[in-house]
């Protein structure tokens, strides 16, 4: 195993963490939301593309499309 040091809760109250200005935080949050939405859209696009290719392959296999 390994030894993990313990930091008492009272000591954490004195730790100062530098934060960017609020407008920068808001831009970061917006960028994260847009990135998440982009991932969702790309996943949906991939699913729809796969469904379209499956449908086309099925039609081709049934002779409905000349390849």
């Amino acid at each position: 195993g390994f030894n993990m040091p313990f930091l008492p809760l009272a000591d954490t109250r004195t730790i100062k963490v530098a934060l960017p200005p609020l407008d920068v935080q808001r831009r970061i949050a917006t960028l994260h939301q847009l990135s998440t939405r982009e991932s969702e859209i790309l996943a949906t696009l991939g699913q729809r593309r796969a469904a379209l290719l499956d449908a086309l392959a099925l039609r081709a296999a049934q002779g409905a499309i000349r390849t």
Side-chain angles (χ1 to χ4, degrees), residues 10-54:
D11 290 349
T12 64
R13 293 187 175 114
T14 61
I15 297 173
K16 294 187 180 196
V17 178
L19 295 174
L22 191 55
D23 64 313
V24 174
Q25 293 179 47
R26 286 186 176 126
R27 286 188 287 169
I28 292 168
T30 298
L31 181 61
H32 174 68
Q33 290 171 343
L34 291 172
S35 177
T36 300
R37 183 67 181 130
E38 178 186 34
S39 295
E40 293 168 352
I41 290 169
L42 289 173
T44 299
L45 180 62
Q47 293 167 354
R48 290 182 181 180
R49 182 179 184 274
L52 177 60
L53 290 174
D54 287 347

